[in-house]
Amino acid sequence: MTKRSHYLFTSESVSEGHPDKVADRISDEVVDAFLAADPYARVACETMVTTNRIILAGEVRGPDGVIESLEERIRGAVKAIGYEQAGFDWRNAHYECYLHAQSADIAMGVDASSNKDEGAGDQGIMFGYATNETPELMPATLQYSHNILHRLADARHSGEQPDLEPDAKSQVTLEYENGKPVRAASIVLSTQHREGLTPADVSEIVRPYILKVFPDGFITDETEWHVNPTGNFVIGGPDGDCGLTGRKIIVDTYGGAAPHGGGAFSGKDPTKVDRSGAYACRYLAKNVVAAGLAEKCTIQIGYAIGVAHPLSFYVDLHGKAEIDPAKLEKALPEMIGGATPRAIREHLKLNRPIYARTTAYGHFGRTPDADGGFSWEKTDLVDALRGLA
């Protein structure tokens, strides 16, 4: 197959106020609440939000009293996002909780016992990816899409731009030459706003923030701009569109530039390999690229429910590399204790209430926090990996 040297590629992002992201945030607030009470609690929480309604459902195992404390925490999260609108208000949205005890059959397969290690919480395939297109080692189209919305959210929260409302979507198309991004072909932004603003008004507000996101020379006279192309975006968030947990998995990961295993992250405790396995894959792929062993790296791990050790571990260095990928397939799992669910959780210290912050602007490409948040973004394996080359 001939590698293409010139092409366009597009990724999108959505803001913390997008209805699906509101649902993700609520589900991960539930995860954090349980892990704060018991680091080994089990949570699988789904959320639906619609016009002045918040509905939770799923399975949990943890200390008594956590479920009863959730409503106040969830309303606080909705307030922090910024929803005090007639159609969705943190103070009076109707709240319903249908969380119940985890299935004993699932618990039996996952829990460690005298004759077996902790097993994976489900079968499935997980992917991780890294590329040297950006300092964050993320695909440029997605990283710039995230950065646009993050900057606008900061301006809204600070009061600098009070005419902006929480719901927003961005989309960036870049032109690639010889596999590297060189120019912004088009920029799309749709943002909820206060009544009375025209698309031209909104464009004037957002354009300076967008310009700061891109490297010098990326935006040219040929770059197409589409700001609020529908003409009006006053009704938004859960009032404008029903939101559900787990519907933005490509936004959460690599913007379509790499494969995705199919399982969402939010609402799941770290025994679920949909989450912890994907975090481990990103961690290892990022360290491979950070070590200079390849310009791009994709990793896949396969698991079976109740089985500790991976069924498969695959490394793709996309042709241009300083090491045989087969060598990494042997070495990388051992760097994280064999890549078992327990070893991943312990290596990355995932049994902590660190997940609500992941639900907007991507789970990857973030800066590790002092309290352990985004631990999978560390590059602490670089020296060991360089020693393998």
Side-chain angles (χ1 to χ4, degrees), residues 185-257:
S186 66
I187 298 165
V188 183
L189 177 76
S190 295
T191 181
Q192 188 183 14
H193 57 85
R194 300 281 177 88
E195 185 74 66
L197 270 65
T198 66
D201 295 330
V202 175
S203 182
E204 186 177 350
I205 290 171
V206 303
R207 191 179 180 98
Y209 297 95
I210 294 173
L211 290 172
K212 292 177 182 178
V213 164
F214 292 89
D216 290 343
F218 262 57
I219 295 180
T220 71
D221 292 340
E222 297 179 358
T223 302
E224 294 183 23
W225 290 74
H226 301 280
V227 176
N228 280 20
T230 62
N232 203 45
F233 192 178
V234 174
I235 299 172
D239 186 31
D241 190 12
C242 179
L244 297 171
T245 302
R247 286 208 299 194
K248 289 292 177 286
I249 58 176
I250 300 302
V251 170
D252 287 343
T253 54
Y254 306 105

Side-chain angles (χ1 to χ4, degrees), residues 109-330:
V110 175
D111 290 348
S113 62
S114 59
N115 61 353
K116 78 176 198 60
D117 193 5
E118 176 186 298
D122 201 351
Q123 72 174 46
I125 55 174
M126 290 80 221
F127 286 94
Y129 179 71
T131 172
N132 64 2
E133 289 180 13
T134 63
E136 298 87 355
L137 302 186
M138 289 288 288
T141 49
L142 179 65
Q143 193 63 49
Y144 299 151
S145 295
H146 284 327
N147 291 352
I148 288 169
L149 295 181
H150 210 163
R151 281 180 177 268
L152 292 173
D154 288 345
R156 176 174 60 84
H157 284 300
S158 71
E160 187 174 305
Q161 295 297 342
D163 287 331
L164 300 181
E165 295 283 8
D167 194 359
K169 300 179 76 171
S170 63
Q171 185 170 285
V172 171
T173 300
L174 296 181
E175 182 177 353
Y176 282 72
E177 290 283 2
N178 299 316
K180 299 294 183 183
V182 296
R183 185 178 72 85
S186 66
I187 298 165
V188 183
L189 177 76
S190 295
T191 181
Q192 188 183 14
H193 57 85
R194 300 281 177 88
E195 185 74 66
L197 270 65
T198 66
D201 295 330
V202 175
S203 182
E204 186 177 350
I205 290 171
V206 303
R207 191 179 180 98
Y209 297 95
I210 294 173
L211 290 172
K212 292 177 182 178
V213 164
F214 292 89
D216 290 343
F218 262 57
I219 295 180
T220 71
D221 292 340
E222 297 179 358
T223 302
E224 294 183 23
W225 290 74
H226 301 280
V227 176
N228 280 20
T230 62
N232 203 45
F233 192 178
V234 174
I235 299 172
D239 186 31
D241 190 12
C242 179
L244 297 171
T245 302
R247 286 208 299 194
K248 289 292 177 286
I249 58 176
I250 300 302
V251 170
D252 287 343
T253 54
Y254 306 105
H260 190 290
F265 304 154
S266 293
K268 298 174 182 176
D269 74 78
T271 66
K272 278 70 169 175
V273 286
D274 278 341
R275 178 165 230 159
S276 55
Y279 288 174
C281 288
R282 162 63 179 176
Y283 172 64
L284 295 174
K286 183 177 182 180
N287 273 271
V288 168
V289 174
L293 301 184
E295 294 182 356
K296 298 179 182 180
C297 177
T298 300
I299 292 176
Q300 185 210 55
I301 306 180
Y303 290 97
I305 188 168
V307 179
H309 285 277
L311 306 181
S312 63
F313 191 100
Y314 169 73
V315 177
D316 183 0
L317 301 180
H318 301 270
K320 188 176 181 180
E322 302 297 322
I323 191 171
D324 183 349
K327 190 172 185 180
L328 290 176
E329 288 170 354
K330 292 181 179 180

Side-chain angles (χ1 to χ4, degrees), residues 59-76:
E59 299 77 47
V60 297
R61 188 175 76 191
D64 294 337
V66 177
I67 289 178
E68 290 73 20
S69 72
L70 290 175
E71 180 175 355
E72 181 179 0
R73 182 179 186 128
I74 288 166
R75 290 190 186 279

